[in-house]
Amino acid sequence: MGKKRTDVLRGTLDLLILKALALEPLHGVGVSQRITQITSGAFRVSFGSLFPSLHHMEEKGWVEAEWRASENNRRAKYYGLTSSGRAQLRAEERDWSQVVKIMTAAVESA
Amino acid sequence: MPGRIASFFRNLLRKRAVEQALDDELQSAVELLTQEKMREGLSHPAARRQALIALGGVEQVKEQVRDSRTGAFLDSLLQDLRFALRQMQRSPGFALSAVLILALGIAANVIVFGVLQALVLRSLDLPHAEQVMTLQPKDAGPFVSHPEVCDVRDGNSVFSAVAVYEFQDFGLEANGVTRPVWGAEVSGQYFEVVGIKPFLGRLLERADDDHPGASEAAVISWSAWQSDFGADPNVVGTTVRIDKHPYTIVGVAPEGFRGTEKIAQLDIFVPIANEASLDGFSWLESRSYRNLFSIVRIKDGVTTPQAQAELNAIATRIARQYPKDEEGLALKLARPGMIGDFMGGPARGFLAGVMGLAGIVLLAACANLGSLFAARTADRAKEIAIRMALGSSRWRILRQLLVEAFVISILGGALACGLAWMALTGLASWHPPTRYPLRLFFVMPQPSLILMAFLISVAAGVIFGLMPLRQIFKADPNDTIKSGGGQFAAGRRWALRDALLAAQIALCCVTVTAAFVSLRGLGRAMTMDLGFNPKNVLLTQFDLSQAAYTGEAADHFQRQLLEKVSQIPGVEAAGYSNTTPLSGDTFVSAVFSQQSSDFRPSNKAFYAYNYDISPGYLTAAGTCLLAGRDVSFADTAKTPPVAIVNQEFARRLFHSEHAIGRYFKDRDGVSIQIVGIVADGKQFTLAEDPEAAAFFPISQKATTSTAIVVRTRRDTADMVAALRGVILDLDRAVPIRELGPWNTALALSFFPCQVATVALGVFGAFGLLLSIAGTFGLASYTVSKRLRGLSIRVALGAQAKQILSAALGRMLILLASGSAVGILLGVAASRILSAIVYQASAQDPFVLAAVVFTLLLTGSMSVAGPVRRVLYIDPANLLREQ
């Protein structure tokens, strides 16, 4: 459901979150740090967008949440990708590279 | 999908757990961020502060997460709803008055719309009613003559059926009892036009109407079958007597069919071919005797313009063929059901006017509520500021206020539905004061009205709910909280609500002016000179043809009756005529000058109302004979024709009132000598300009239609009994339809005027009520907001006058300017009224004085409370309190 994304920003954020979670389950702050890391500090996601997105994905079944102890023994809510989350990630990656290809071609043609 | 549905329910039902989890998650995020910052070398408090800044506020994030959840909208809507209901509980007075104000405003609209729908918008309840039309002669009444319709019937290719009908008052004798019933004489294709299936037996067919006496068949309505024939399944084939002539009932019409007039309820249908035997004289072949309503059905696939085009061609052909009677004939297709289309125009005009007033009242109610809401929003400025500071969006706050407005408007709408339902049910079962079978408001409350009420409530809710919009969007929480709330817009600058109040007062003035104009008009109509004096006069009307009298016999009966009636003790004067003024049964005919030799209608001098009267009628009716002589029984068919005319007649024909001994001609070219002059009077409606009238000796032209006028000194109740006794003594078969004081019989003439006055009076009263509520509300609000400032002024020694002008000066300016604009508007609008209400004029000084006085009175009443409060301010008390 909802594979098609017209909202580029929202789509980009979802893709980044899914990508961030691809390696291992993370808590909210972890996701934020991971995104900063994988975009070499270019993107800083505000928590006001991040948490709603995570909850939205949880409702859609792309991620699963689990409470466990953090690296320094604090309780935190960890989000991990489900199989439908992985499928969504692949789909969004494909869509994204298509968009990039098309846009690059369009921009360079001019 | 199932996951989403599950989360929808989880979000709604397990709210607390979900909220707790969210809170935990964010707390843990804060801690994680704090630790991170501490690792960068900050102290715990500083790190925590940085963490909160990085997060962007725990509550704000929570709110954003909540908004992203499935069912978030519904959830917050429920919250708003609960909050709205709590708010209403907190101020039940406000809630109650708001709901009431709105309910009255909406009910007024729904009721007017209901009547409008029944009389104008809804078509007749027939199969394919959109194809059924009436032929409306241009620039004339609704009537056509029989030969005209026959020409249309036989010469067209666009109508599948063409028919005429005429209302008729029958004496129906069934099972040994004679009862007057209203019915119609209909032509052969009538039921083809109508297109209904009989409930029992058959309906009238073409063969029934082939020639006079072709059949003695009658069709009765379902309700007559129920009431007069006890729902007898074997009624078909029963013989009854209609005006003493035997008829056979051949069928029963389906339930709900009572003829093709929206406001008339007919019970029996007979072939029009038998007209001569029922009416006593024959007019079927006469082109000038226009007394029939027409009804046609357009063929499938033919458009109205096509039908109209062919109709025009036929009318032109008829006019060319019969120039004497049909000159200038033009027939227009119109919607049937309103006495042809005759009443359609005035009814539409009046109802549109009333609808406009109802709209104004609703607008005023909305303006009223809007300013109350704006004032309340101002009071709640602090609450709103705090909510914004806590992370609520402006849109969310606006939605909250809108929900409150909707709750009030929906409650108001529901109450309005109840009110309208009661009022419409009452109207539907109410019969206007007339001998005609009218049910003026054939209105049944319908589901569409509920929809209408709902739509109006929603619109009203939006209108007044959005009034505080500006306040919310310009509010700066920081400022508001600092300044302590209440100060925001409390009477410093001109606020939206001031404009609203002025507008509302102006609108209310319009309704008040309209009410006074029509009251004044009614007052004048009640006391004006009718040209006769109905006081202490009894009137009875019947048609002797229903007791099988014709010509000579009728004349003999009438004279005998007059003699007997004159001998009743207490009778001052008595006379009879074929009809009486303002009875609705009046006739006009063309008058030609003595020199005329061409009697085409276009060559006429004018039309005059015709009455056939007996000696003594003028005295009994109280019509003043100014000069000449009364008619006498010595005027007979063998003596030269004579007439008495009124002043207007003489003025129009001779340009002077010296008419005695002079002559005029009727449309048959007969010279008639004028032997008397009577005073002018009303003939057809109260609102008409003076009309010409001519009174002919009834002994020169016998008629069965009888109106007996008896001027009496005695108590009317005794007299009614005595009169009835005398008539029935002479012949028990005379079907007396009406016998009573003339004033009662005239009620129908005063009726439109009374309806208008009642309707406008109600709206006027309602408008006043609204303006009092609005003015009072705003004045007390202003005073209470500024009480502190005023107290300081009083403490510093300000005089009562200064205090008053400071507190309420603006209110008074608003009141005065609103009233001035309203009166001007009202005067303009009242011009429209003069069409319905006789002599209604807004330029009348009495009306203007009354309006101004009423407004002054209500204005001062509504500010009296707040003024008192201002004048009795005890500064010490107040300053201590705050």
Side-chain angles (χ1 to χ4, degrees), chain B residues 30 53 58 101 125 265 279 351 445 476 516 574 612 635 766 791 845:
Chain B
V30 171
I53 292 172
V58 173
I101 286 175
D125 187 17
Q265 306 277 294
D279 283 7
L351 285 174
D476 176 359
F516 272 108
D612 297 323
D635 299 315
F766 190 40
S791 305

Side-chain angles (χ1 to χ4, degrees), chain A residues 33 48 55 59 72 74 79, chain B residues 11 25 28 35-36 64 70:
Chain A
Q33 287 166 340
H55 280 253
E59 280 183 356
N72 32 22
R74 300 276 174 183
Y79 294 90
Chain B
N11 289 340
E25 182 178 11
S28 97
Q35 279 179 350
E36 201 180 313
Q64 275 163 318
T70 313

